[in-house]
Amino acid sequence: MLLAVLFQGIITGFVYALVALGFALIYNATKIFHIAHGALFVLAGYLAYSLSLLNLNIWVILIPTTIIISLIGLAIYLFVYAPILKRNGELFICMISSIGVMIVIEGLFTLIYGNQTKSLIPGALVTFQIGILSVSYIKIIIIILCAASFGLIYFYLNKFKFGKAILALADNEELAETIGINIQSTRYLVFMLGSALVAVASFFVSIDTGIRPDSAFFIILISATAVLIGTHGYLPGTIVAGIGLGIIENIAIYYLGTSWKNSIIFSVLIIILIFMPNGLFSKIIHTRGE
Amino acid sequence: MMKKRLLLYFVALCVLATGVACSSKPSKLDQETNQVKEAVSSTKTSQTETEPVTIGAILALTGPYAVHGSRHQQGIEIAVKEINEKGGINGRLIKAIYEDNRGDPKTAIAAFRKLVDLDKVPVVLTTFTGLSYPLIPIADEVKTILMAVNIQSLEFGVRSPWAFRIGINVGIDADTIANYATAKLELKSASIFHENSEFGLDGKKAFTESFTKLGGKILRAEAYDRGVTDYSTQILKLKNDQPQSVYIVGAPSPEIDLIVKQMAEQNFNTQILTNSSIERAEFLKFVGNAANGILYTTPEFNVNDPRIAEVIRKYATKLEMMDYNVALFYDSVHVLAEALARAGTVTPSSLKEALLKPIAYNGLTGKTSFNNNRDALKPVIIKTIKNNQFTIN
């Protein structure tokens, strides 16, 4: 029974990790606490649902959804954050503006779609049995594609010029500029990449459990928690933390019910930060001399 | 430095989340109450023998429940029209005064105060549990009848001698389905998956009492929260016990749709029992074939019944939709009219006394009779879903 719960937690964790990775990429590179990242998660789900009404193949919908959300992420940077930064505004102001963006987008969903949960595939998904656990094929695809996404991101960041530019920007913006990296272009790219990841995660969730308009805030809390626990600046740590949070959440639900979900997640955060203020992987960061 | 900034943002986010969760505007309520008090002190009204008999209605005319509020208002209006066409109440016309609660309890309270203090109504109609319960202490204080339509919690009338309720409640639902499950299906075990709310807890309590009284065994009761999309872990817990049936009780909401869908995905082989919360087109669309075989209770109400069909036909231009709640509001007004006519004087206490006597009116939802707890409970029937259609069992 506990194994089944663990498996459930891993699936949840992979999605959390993907969302958190997108958030971490943006925060590390730009230092902007992009709260609207949660709103993009919800927007992606409803966008995918709207496209599904055109009777397109479900997997085909993933492509335009990801592209559109990437562009919206970029637009948020261009029209909300960039003007603030250009006028030497504080990053804190960017965060406040981000809250405004999230509230507006959330309000829009509720106006258009009501509070009804929307799913890309109506009806129960086809499943197969592993012991007591029935696993839908989509859950297996989620794990595979999430893992593939992590690998692709790692590969891109470490082997490609623009990926390395993102890492350099995250490390030291002034130095990155000195060595000829175009800061603005890199920021555009990181917002698009981070938003693309959240779009993919949302797409999976929309098929698996459905999307609802009020989930934006929780998504941001999970993302920020994963970044803190996984050690700020260390992307693999964010991924591990995201998966860990998914497992902890499901174990908590199993023993205590869903009411305690958020309390348990925050308790874990507090306990880890008390004993390891720089997160679980701070020693790895130190070893790298960062 | 970056780490400190990140922590600062995180703390700010948590403070914001707490502020949103615990938001309350006492100062606005105080302002509204003061405005009502000022209005009362400067303007006195009373129901004289020549003026229309006024009743109050606090409805969700705007806000998240507005689609229901406007329909409820239509039900009241056609009843008022009918009564006035037949001469009114003892020669006086009847008139409904509407206040909008905007789907917010604090606004409902202010609206109730206004209807009682300013408009001097002897009775106020209301609906929705969360919007009606807060009015009970005030009804008690000002000794004005609060008539709640289709509040499904176990206790409403017992909370105040001025609180009346008309409709079905979760107790009737649970008792009916428990009886059917044990007598007809011979089910011996059940688990309960209830909404984590007063309504859900009432449902759990009622079903547990009924099912165990009939010889059944409750294996587990699990609470589900609103706002969650993944119930897989909790469903696994329930499935592990292998109950013959699962009683799902909660308000109509996307959560019930998700639960049923995810139960099917978990290949949870059990008889699902529930209430009329699933009787929605969105439910069938979302759940698909997994809905087939579900048994549920629903009010005994058929729009094809000749009497109901006649009302629908007659008021086709005034009625957006005739459903059970609309019919209850329609019947409530007729019941109040009969009681007011019998009472003679239009005061809350005389109306209260008249309501507790036998009522002759036989309405769209059947006869109405208030018991000692001031509940007029209506019958329910069992329906099922076959070939993705809601059908009588």
Side-chain angles (χ1 to χ4, degrees):
Chain A
M1 183 67 208
L2 204 53
L3 277 176
V5 174
L6 208 63
F7 182 75
Q8 201 57 51
I10 289 170
I11 296 166
T12 308
F14 267 71
V15 173
Y16 286 170
L18 198 58
V19 176
L21 184 61
F23 178 80
L25 274 172
I26 292 171
Y27 182 77
N28 290 349
T30 68
K31 314 300 174 278
I32 295 173
F33 201 88
H34 181 43
I35 290 178
H37 192 69
L40 289 181
F41 175 87
V42 181
L43 181 58
Y46 280 100
L47 178 61
Y49 170 75
S50 301
L51 291 173
S52 75
L53 298 175
L54 301 173
N55 292 321
L56 299 169
N57 180 283
I58 287 295
W59 298 105
V60 166
I61 289 170
L62 176 58
I63 301 164
T65 303
T66 306
I67 293 171
I68 293 170
I69 296 300
S70 299
L71 292 173
I72 293 176
L74 174 63
I76 292 175
Y77 174 74
L78 285 173
F79 297 111
V80 179
Y81 303 143
I84 294 170
L85 295 172
K86 196 176 171 187
R87 291 174 178 81
N88 295 318
E90 299 254 337
L91 288 167
F92 189 71
I93 305 298
C94 289
M95 185 188 99
I96 301 297
S97 306
S98 194
I99 294 170
V101 171
M102 187 185 80
I103 292 171
V104 166
I105 294 178
E106 248 193 24
L108 212 57
F109 299 144
T110 312
L111 199 64
I112 297 170
Y113 294 103
N115 69 343
Q116 191 70 20
T117 302
K118 301 293 184 195
S119 178
L120 293 190
I121 301 178
L125 300 172
V126 174
T127 59
F128 58 92
Q129 210 71 22
I130 302 177
I132 189 178
L133 184 65
S134 293
V135 182
S136 66
Y137 74 90
I138 187 62
K139 290 194 194 294
I140 302 297
I141 293 174
I142 285 174
I143 293 178
I144 294 171
L145 289 183
C146 281
S149 301
F150 301 150
L152 278 169
I153 291 294
Y154 177 82
F155 189 70
Y156 179 75
L157 291 177
N158 287 280
K159 303 293 178 194
F160 284 80
K161 177 183 163 189
F162 288 117
K164 289 180 185 179
I166 291 173
L167 289 179
L169 183 61
D171 194 34
N172 190 318
E173 184 174 317
E174 282 173 9
L175 196 57
E177 196 169 20
T178 309
I179 61 172
I181 289 174
N182 188 320
I183 302 300
Q184 281 304 328
S185 301
T186 310
R187 282 183 175 169
Y188 298 159
L189 181 63
V190 85
F191 264 91
M192 290 179 70
L193 193 55
S195 302
L197 290 176
V198 86
V200 170
S202 178
F203 178 82
F204 293 147
V205 167
S206 301
I207 296 179
D208 187 27
T209 55
I211 198 84
R212 45 181 303 138
D214 54 0
S215 40
F217 220 76
F218 179 72
I219 286 295
I220 271 301
L221 280 177
I222 280 288
S223 302
T225 305
V227 167
L228 281 170
I229 292 177
T231 300
H232 165 254
Y234 185 57
L235 293 177
T238 300
I239 293 171
V240 170
I243 295 171
L245 284 173
I247 294 171
I248 291 166
E249 180 190 283
N250 275 270
I251 292 174
I253 289 171
Y254 179 74
Y255 285 108
L256 301 170
T258 52
S259 306
W260 290 89
K261 188 173 76 165
N262 292 346
S263 306
I264 297 294
I265 287 171
F266 277 108
S267 300
V268 166
L269 171 69
I270 290 166
I271 291 168
I272 289 176
L273 290 184
I274 286 172
F275 292 103
M276 302 178 79
N278 293 316
L280 293 170
F281 301 97
S282 51
K283 284 187 180 166
I284 294 177
I285 299 294
H286 277 305
T287 306
R288 283 184 176 180
E290 289 178 16
Chain B
M1 178 66 190
M2 240 168 28
K3 176 73 192 308
K4 278 186 187 166
R5 190 184 294 139
L6 181 62
L7 267 173
L8 174 67
Y9 290 157
F10 192 76
V11 167
L13 189 63
C14 295
V15 168
L16 180 69
T18 310
V20 167
C22 304
S23 66
S24 62
K25 301 183 183 69
S27 59
K28 190 178 173 203
L29 177 61
D30 287 341
Q31 280 176 8
E32 286 170 348
T33 308
N34 286 335
Q35 281 167 5
V36 169
K37 282 182 181 170
E38 281 167 20
V40 166
S41 65
S42 63
T43 310
K44 298 280 184 195
T45 61
S46 61
Q47 296 213 30
T48 66
E49 293 298 316
T50 53
E51 289 175 344
V53 174
T54 51
I55 60 173
I58 303 175
L59 305 174
L61 299 173
T62 59
Y65 311 117
V67 66
H68 302 289
S70 61
R71 291 172 187 166
H72 300 160
Q73 185 177 29
Q74 288 160 11
I76 295 171
E77 280 298 298
I78 60 174
V80 163
K81 187 175 188 302
E82 277 186 355
I83 294 163
N84 286 336
E85 277 171 357
K86 289 177 184 165
I89 300 170
N90 296 337
R92 292 169 67 183
L93 298 177
I94 183 171
K95 180 183 159 191
I97 301 176
Y98 300 99
E99 289 296 323
D100 181 7
N101 59 30
R102 298 181 217 155
D104 168 50
K106 292 192 192 87
T107 311
I109 290 170
F112 190 84
R113 287 277 185 195
K114 184 256 179 190
L115 284 168
V116 168
D117 294 337
L118 206 61
D119 299 306
K120 307 287 185 202
V121 297
V123 57
V124 175
L125 288 161
T126 178
T127 188
F128 293 117
T129 307
L131 301 171
S132 303
Y133 265 90
L135 304 180
I136 296 177
I138 307 169
D140 215 38
E141 177 200 323
V142 300
K143 295 182 176 27
T144 297
I145 294 170
L146 180 68
M147 175 83 77
V149 174
N150 223 24
I151 300 296
Q152 300 205 17
S153 55
L154 279 177
E155 296 174 354
F156 188 82
V158 295
R159 297 202 174 195
S160 163
W162 298 94
F164 284 71
R165 182 243 303 265
I166 182 170
I168 62 172
N169 78 357
V170 73
I172 295 246
D173 276 335
D175 200 52
T176 306
I177 200 92
N179 265 291
Y180 186 87
T182 50
K184 293 275 195 273
L185 304 179
E186 295 178 356
L187 297 175
K188 300 276 182 264
S189 66
S191 287
I192 305 173
F193 205 4
H194 65 91
E195 186 181 288
N196 195 8
S197 64
E198 184 157 356
F199 175 67
L201 287 165
D202 276 351
K204 170 192 159 191
K205 181 181 170 190
F207 186 79
T208 302
E209 270 174 25
S210 298
F211 197 71
T212 51
K213 195 170 65 180
L214 295 162
K217 188 179 174 190
I218 302 294
L219 301 181
R220 185 186 296 271
E222 190 74 14
Y224 69 85
D225 284 301
R226 301 279 289 266
V228 173
T229 51
D230 192 353
Y231 295 99
S232 307
T233 301
Q234 289 181 288
I235 290 169
L236 267 175
K237 257 172 103 169
L238 292 167
K239 184 182 170 187
N240 197 40
D241 295 329
Q242 296 180 327
Q244 289 180 310
S245 58
V246 172
Y247 182 56
I248 303 173
V249 56
S253 63
E255 285 78 8
I256 289 191
D257 307 0
L258 280 164
I259 286 167
V260 172
K261 178 176 183 273
Q262 288 168 16
M263 282 177 72
E265 287 169 0
Q266 288 289 337
N267 286 330
F268 192 165
N269 223 355
T270 190
Q271 174 62 60
I272 295 178
L273 310 169
T274 183
N275 58 19
S276 55
S277 296
I278 60 163
E279 205 166 35
R280 295 169 281 119
E282 308 87 63
F283 173 80
L284 289 178
K285 189 179 172 188
F286 190 83
V287 175
N289 291 335
N292 290 324
I294 292 176
L295 290 165
Y296 66 99
T297 50
T298 190
E300 194 170 7
F301 182 74
N302 183 358
V303 292
N304 297 318
D305 178 280
R307 272 197 61 196
I308 299 171
E310 173 57 24
V311 171
I312 295 172
R313 186 201 61 77
K314 189 175 174 187
Y315 297 106
T317 55
K318 295 185 190 308
L319 266 180
E320 185 188 327
M321 179 178 151
M322 172 63 84
D323 64 13
Y324 188 65
N325 286 321
V326 174
L328 274 175
F329 271 102
Y330 170 91
D331 279 352
S332 297
V333 175
H334 277 286
V335 164
L336 286 172
E338 180 184 318
L340 281 165
R342 193 168 50 233
T345 54
V346 181
T347 62
S349 48
S350 61
L351 175 58
K352 181 163 160 269
E353 214 177 292
L355 283 170
L356 290 172
K357 293 199 168 92
I359 293 172
Y361 174 73
N362 188 1
L364 304 182
T365 62
K367 292 266 279 183
T368 299
S369 174
F370 292 99
N371 62 20
N372 291 336
N373 290 333
R374 292 161 293 284
D375 274 332
L377 295 175
K378 302 282 187 171
V380 297
I381 57 171
I382 305 263
K383 283 171 96 168
T384 187
I385 300 175
K386 262 184 205 163
N387 300 321
N388 292 72
Q389 305 266 348
F390 299 112
T391 53
I392 292 177
N393 193 43

